[in-house]
Amino acid sequence: MYLGVDIGGTKTLIACLNKDGVIQEKVKFPTPKEYGTFLNDLAKIVASLSTKNFLAAGVAVPGRLDREKGIGIAFGNLPWKEVAVRADVQRIVKCPVVIENDANLAGLSEAMLLKEQYGRVLYVTISTGINMGLIVGQHIDTSLHPEAGNIMMEHHGRLETWEHFASGRAIVHRFGKQASEITDDGSWKIIAHNIAIGLADLVAIIGPEIIVLGGSIGGYFDQYAKALFEDLKELSTPLTPMPPIIKASRPDDAVVYGCYDLIRELYEY
């Protein structure tokens, strides 16, 4: 069995997957603000699982990391800094542990479902913030920084980060409601336009064969897809044609599936 740990800003998901990558058991718990409390909670949850022995574990870090040293440098919505995630989790689960950015892992998971069709997959997750992962030939491209939401863009005559006007947080700030509460086409057109601006830049820089949209806002893709495609058609050029864009197939569990995929790539189990 393999273990996937998806550390989120508000919730952490733990999943046990068998050798075929099928989830056998999963538990979700609130992510504490204190790192020490998180480790204690994680240890209790792991001890309560029906599976006690794991061949390897993958841990998703929502932010910057040092892969070689196994350190989480900064965690976005969490105040943790410079914490030894790999070593600390390894003491709890008693098996080899690999850490990776959460958007990269979600992207790897989605790219594996498309591996027969596309070799260059860009995964963009739009939730509270905006992140991305580029998967080339079923491998994470670690040369790119996943924090796509921090790209500076002109918006209403001034420079702002993309996620400042296109993320889930930005939607609540502008419309005074969650995306789940928005029903009018006019609001979704504005949301689609703001997403399109960033996607057009990413296409010009990265040149993906396909884009997969995930995250909570990605989950409402059907609501704004038509408006998004219309905007992207206007932003497309002969040198930067727009690739196909689809909704993530497994948005809720993509990260833990990505943990499994990375484990199978790194370890010969």
Side-chain angles (χ1 to χ4, degrees), residues 83-134:
V83 293
V85 178
R86 183 173 64 199
D88 291 338
V89 175
Q90 196 161 290
R91 280 193 291 270
I92 293 171
V93 300
K94 297 178 175 57
C95 68
V97 172
V98 59
I99 69 170
E100 183 53 73
N101 175 269
D102 55 354
N104 283 340
L105 288 167
L108 178 62
S109 166
E110 291 293 324
M112 293 300 286
L113 299 176
L114 301 167
K115 64 182 180 180
E116 302 300 328
Q117 303 164 273
Y118 302 100
R120 191 175 179 83
V121 179
L122 177 63
Y123 176 83
V124 179
T125 174
I126 307 175
S127 295
T128 303
I130 299 177
N131 303 88
M132 72 174 185
L134 177 63

Side-chain angles (χ1 to χ4, degrees), residues 67 104 120 122 132 134 141-146 205-206:
R67 294 176 182 84
N104 283 340
R120 191 175 179 83
L122 177 63
M132 72 174 185
L134 177 63
D141 185 340
T142 57
S143 68
L144 286 180
H145 199 294
I205 295 167
I206 297 171

Side-chain angles (χ1 to χ4, degrees), residues 21 80 182 194 211 213 221 236 249 266:
W80 311 346
I182 295 175
N194 291 337
I211 297 174
L213 290 184
F221 181 69
S236 179
S249 298
L266 297 178

